[in-house]
DNA sequence: GTCTGGCACTCCCTCCGCGCGAGTGCCAGC
DNA sequence: GCTGGCACTCGCGCGGAGGGAGTGCCAGAC
């Protein structure tokens, strides 16, 4: 167990290193933080912290730098979430309120997050699986060809072509449309399958094949989680870091293009509240020297998707966490209103 | 006017420089290309090319490097478009054919283009303005709230909320839906405004306000070109260039995030065929040391959107142009089929 | 006129050695 | 357990030397 002062020292090291981007030495620490002890004492503490693996020195006789483990302790025990100021909150709200549709909400959120944190922002589109159905529409494009349009309460629209086994009349179509909507409107996706399973029985035998086809297309659309999309912004911020970063920036850019990986990463946030993954805690190799700060957001009480930022492990965690949390909150509000 | 041999020398300089990424000298030129003259002769030619502004030397007593003007001449007069090989064409086709919807087509196209050219790929979503209407759907969400869904022949779907000035009955809604579709289905967007202008007259006076609102929302959607979206991929390829590139990569990443700028850039391609913008020919400052190769693509004979790549001015123009052209062709095919 | 070989010159790039300074570890004393 | 002092270690920046690639120019050959 580390003494109180040693924790203070670790906190000071993290704060200074984040600020200056340079290894921090014992003398600088005593000067910039009122620790009330001499550099020699701090040196002992630093040696202890290094033994425990919280800090490391890039080379002998250089200052100390926090390790992933050090950041982890800092985030868990030594720092809170820095709340946004009132003007910042107003700015967030104003910026998001101008959105005209779902794409716009996501695009604005990405830009906002990237600007606030000065890092790479990642926003997942509101997921289908946890939302409810607003409306299902069926359009006849050709005698045996339908288009199925699904509209969700988050404003997302999905469409699918349906090739019917047999021609399907306009009146049967209207009937199916009406029955379908009366059963599934305002229902959660998860409940839809059993709400429609007996639907074909209400139709003439020759139409049942088509009805079944439509229903299975609908169910496919509902579960199609791999369709989940995300938007990324602020990649130019990657260039702000270390001048040696050219070598580091490439794997990060590559990782950012693998949307599947990112979605998995974001998806790991289970508990409510902001999740932080530091350095090697990220499964993906390209992100081993970055940290991911993410949180769920949603229109109701429940999260429908995730958003977050990717930055160097040397980041301002309290500020970033505050920004991510605040943005998630306001996006949720906007989605609930629309 | 430049002599034939001097043009050959320029071509050789461009090819070597693109290959080696290093300034090319007179000796290396005579060795690697069978020019049949001595280095001294080449030096004279190089001096002449430099006077004309086609090449430059980074420092005194270094090799020569093509200028933007030199690349321009190379592209216009000295090099053709390098066609894809048959296996490459098959691979393109196979890769694109697995697409399930429009988003997927665009996503695959971006990845394909980025991999083929090893550069940054940019693909604009098929534009609304030049396509035709497949179907217009109206849904009643609340007594005085409608949702307008527009489906285009390229499979794109746009939705808008419409707040009605007065409640609008189901029968009137069905009527409007039917009339609207009979008039605009399969019509080009440009023709829609005059096709619907007298539509309110067919309705009861109390419904005319709503009909007008719906129509104006529809027209807005049709012309809303600023809504045009694009997808970007292969940004990791930026790191392949010059080790001094960290300074250069940033403005490029920033420019890539300004979708409006990119759309404008792509939009400049007027004539059919591949457009190449070299270095300072690009209006945007961040792209002054990059070239943009773009081309229109479309489902029918006519282009509905653009796609292209962004890379360093020092790029393999014939190969890039060939890849861009081939991809555009096959995407057009895929769109026409779906 | 045009091409060629030769020659002097110009810089860039790399390497090497040096000194400086920040920072450390350790130890004796309070 | 804290403090001041001291010797030691490296990383970093600077300046000079050497090598090399490439040029420009000129006199001569075809």
């Amino acid at each position: 167990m580390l003494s109180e002062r040693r924790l203070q020292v670790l906190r000071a090291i993290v704060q200074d290193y984040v600020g200056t981007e340079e290894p921090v030495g014992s003398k600088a620490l005593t000067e910039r933080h009122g620790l009330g002890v001499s550099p020699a004492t701090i040196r002992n503490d630093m040696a202890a912290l290094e033994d425990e693996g919280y800090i490391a020195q890039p080379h002998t006789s250089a200052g100390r730098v926090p390790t992933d483990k050090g950041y982890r302790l800092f985030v868990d025990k030594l720092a809170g979430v820095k709340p946004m100021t009132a003007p910042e909150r107003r700015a967030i709200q104003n910026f998001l309120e101008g959105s005209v549709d779902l794409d716009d909400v996501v695009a604005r959120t990405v830009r906002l997050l990237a600007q606030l944190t000065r890092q790479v922002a990642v926003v997942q589109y509101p997921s289908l699986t946890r939302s409810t159905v607003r409306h299902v529409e069926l359009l006849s494009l050709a005698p045996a060809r339908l288009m199925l349009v699904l509209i969700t309460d988050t404003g997302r629209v999905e469409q699918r072509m349906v090739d019917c086994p047999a021609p399907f009349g306009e009146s049967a179509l209207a009937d199916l449309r009406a029955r379908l909507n009366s059963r599934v409107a305002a229902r959660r996706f998860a409940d839809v399958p059993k709400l429609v399973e007996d639907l074909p029985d209400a139709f003439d035998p020759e139409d049942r094949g088509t009805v079944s086809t439509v229903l299975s297309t609908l169910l496919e659309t509902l579960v199609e989680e791999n369709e989940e999309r995300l938007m990324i912004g602020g990649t130019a911020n990657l260039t702000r870091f270390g001048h040696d970063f050219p070598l580091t920036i490439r794997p990060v850019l590559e990782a950012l293009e693998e949307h599947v990986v990112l979605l998995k990463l974001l998806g790991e946030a289970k508990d409510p509240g902001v999740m932080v993954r530091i350095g090697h805690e990220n499964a993906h190799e390209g992100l081993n020297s970055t940290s991911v700060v993410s949180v769920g957001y949603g229109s109701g009480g429940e999260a429908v998707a995730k958003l977050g930022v990717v930055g160097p492990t040397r980041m301002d965690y309290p500020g970033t966490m505050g920004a991510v949390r605040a943005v998630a909150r306001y996006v949720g509000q906007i989605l609930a209103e629309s």
Side-chain angles (χ1 to χ4, degrees), chain A residues 260-274:
Chain A
V260 184
V261 173
L262 278 183
L263 285 168
K264 209 170 121 203
L265 213 62
L266 290 178
E268 285 173 1
K270 280 294 170 223
D271 49 325
V274 181

Side-chain angles (χ1 to χ4, degrees), chain A residues 139-166:
Chain A
L139 315 172
S140 177
L141 300 180
R145 193 140 202 237
L146 301 178
M147 173 173 266
L148 174 73
V149 180
L150 173 72
I151 301 167
T152 78
D153 64 337
T154 52
R156 186 156 160 182
V157 177
E158 290 287 320
Q159 78 273 12
R160 288 285 183 287
M161 293 299 175
V162 184
D163 285 311
C164 313

Side-chain angles (χ1 to χ4, degrees), chain A residues 2-18:
Chain A
L2 292 168
S3 76
E4 183 58 28
R5 195 189 57 224
R6 289 186 176 165
L7 293 176
Q8 301 280 0
V9 170
L10 177 58
R11 174 192 286 142
I13 290 174
V14 171
Q15 287 171 349
D16 270 26
Y17 184 58
V18 167

Side-chain angles (χ1 to χ4, degrees), chain A residues 233-252:
Chain A
T235 47
N237 289 326
L238 285 176
T239 58
R240 290 194 306 120
F241 312 123
H243 314 70
D244 58 332
F245 218 58
L247 287 172
T248 327
I249 199 175
R250 156 157 233 171
V252 178

Side-chain angles (χ1 to χ4, degrees), chain A residues 81-85 88-89 318 322-323 325:
Chain A
V81 176
K82 186 174 157 212
M84 298 270 98
T85 64
E88 282 171 330
R89 288 203 302 272
R325 194 179 61 181

Side-chain angles (χ1 to χ4, degrees), chain A residues 100-118:
Chain A
V100 301
D101 64 9
L102 184 68
D103 270 328
D104 199 29
V105 171
V106 175
R108 280 171 187 252
T109 305
V110 166
R111 283 184 48 194
L112 182 63
L113 206 50
Q115 280 175 19
L116 279 175
T117 62
R118 304 202 55 194

Side-chain angles (χ1 to χ4, degrees), chain A residues 295-321:
Chain A
V295 70
Y297 70 92
S299 51
E302 205 168 347
V304 296
K306 302 280 187 341
L307 57 77
V309 307
V310 177
T313 51
R314 178 215 326 117
M315 73 161 67
D316 168 20
Y317 289 95
T320 305
M321 291 165 78

